[in-house]
Amino acid sequence: MSDVLETYSPVLNRDLEDLVVSDLGDLVLSGLSIEQALDAIADGMAYAAEQARLAVMLGGEHTASLGSFRGLKRVWPEAIILQADAHLDMRPDYAGQVLSHATWLNHVGKEFGFRTIHQVGLRSGDRREWQLARRETAWSSTELSVPLSVRDHVGHRPVYVSIDIAVLDPAHAPGTGCPEPGGVTVRELLDFLYSLEGLRVVALDVMEVSPNVDAANITAAAAAKLVREAILLFGSAATPVGR
């Protein structure tokens, strides 16, 4: 869907033609176990993060973000994660599985500390998840915003932004596995992205896009624009970086 987008963003007054953008291709995960696939994803993200000002992953089942964050932590050990999602994804297990799209952030908390987790846009999860999020995470909110107090807490630490497309209302993103009514519009999600300018975002993913259940490609179009704006916002030399 990126083929139908202009390279220029009138909001940011920046153009992809002024950047060096590299497509590192797809990871081949067929035939691998979940753990093997996560290892491969971690290797891929670590490689991308070492090469680029902003590393971007597109997906795909949200479990992949666990591998991606593991890889980023190799390059940026102080990195925190900012998740925009309808679902908390913090169950200890789901449908008999310990590793799934509903549990991956619980693993992030156990491996790297729940205080590395910041969540926005939430509106779905079981009671245990909400209790865990409210008690242990650095920030978990139903609002799609990052208060000044949270920005101060993040400071200059590297940030991994994980966007589950289900944070959008199903009217704006029908092509996803777990649509959840009551979400935000594409404009509101873009405004949230713009609001992160000034944070040290070094990696980003857009996940759970399922074109096969969206004949009109509404969801893919929204995801493509999010990615373009993110690359221009955080991949530009205008964004301060440094270790």
Side-chain angles (χ1 to χ4, degrees), residues 9-237:
S9 168
V11 174
L12 298 173
N13 191 26
R14 299 175 188 173
D15 200 308
L16 290 176
E17 293 183 351
D18 297 328
L19 304 181
V20 177
V21 181
S22 299
D23 182 353
L24 300 180
D26 298 339
L27 289 172
V28 179
L29 305 178
S30 58
L32 301 182
S33 68
I34 292 178
E35 284 290 4
Q36 289 171 331
L38 291 174
D39 288 343
I41 293 166
D43 291 342
M45 175 51 75
Y47 177 78
E50 287 178 338
Q51 307 300 313
R53 184 182 297 271
L54 177 74
V56 178
M57 180 176 74
L58 306 181
E61 218 261 15
H62 214 164
T63 313
S65 296
L66 172 59
S68 189
F69 191 59
R70 284 172 176 171
L72 186 76
K73 291 287 275 188
R74 299 180 195 169
V75 181
W76 301 97
E78 300 302 314
I80 61 98
I81 189 164
L82 172 59
Q83 172 204 24
D85 200 336
H87 310 92
L88 282 90
D89 295 347
M90 293 184 68
R91 302 185 188 212
D93 57 78
Y94 179 71
Q97 294 184 327
V98 175
L99 278 172
S100 78
H101 65 279
T103 71
W104 73 273
L105 206 57
N106 189 295
H107 288 272
V108 168
K110 289 177 178 177
E111 293 178 24
F112 303 109
F114 284 94
R115 300 295 292 175
T116 65
I117 298 172
H118 304 68
Q119 302 172 282
V120 295
L122 305 170
R123 57 188 188 277
S124 181
D126 73 9
R127 183 180 302 179
R128 295 175 301 169
E129 288 180 279
W130 285 105
Q131 291 172 340
L132 176 62
R134 289 165 176 158
R135 184 179 67 248
E136 300 291 347
T137 62
W139 178 257
S140 294
S141 174
T142 58
E143 300 298 321
L144 191 70
S145 62
V146 180
L148 288 176
S149 60
V150 177
R151 293 179 72 97
D152 290 342
H153 172 75
V154 172
H156 295 291
R157 284 183 292 177
V159 179
Y160 181 111
V161 177
S162 183
I163 300 175
D164 186 322
I165 205 68
V167 72
L168 293 171
D169 190 86
H172 299 271
T176 189
C178 299
E180 182 69 31
V184 300
T185 66
V186 176
R187 166 53 60 191
E188 288 169 328
L189 184 54
L190 285 168
D191 286 344
F192 163 74
L193 194 68
Y194 301 143
S195 77
L196 302 181
E197 187 166 21
L199 293 181
R200 196 170 159 204
V201 177
V202 296
L204 173 136
D205 67 40
V206 178
M207 308 300 288
E208 296 286 345
V209 177
S210 301
N212 59 312
V213 294
D214 182 0
N217 282 327
I218 296 170
T219 314
K225 185 157 187 174
L226 283 167
V227 171
R228 184 196 71 183
E229 297 298 275
I231 291 173
L232 291 173
L233 186 61
F234 306 119
S236 167

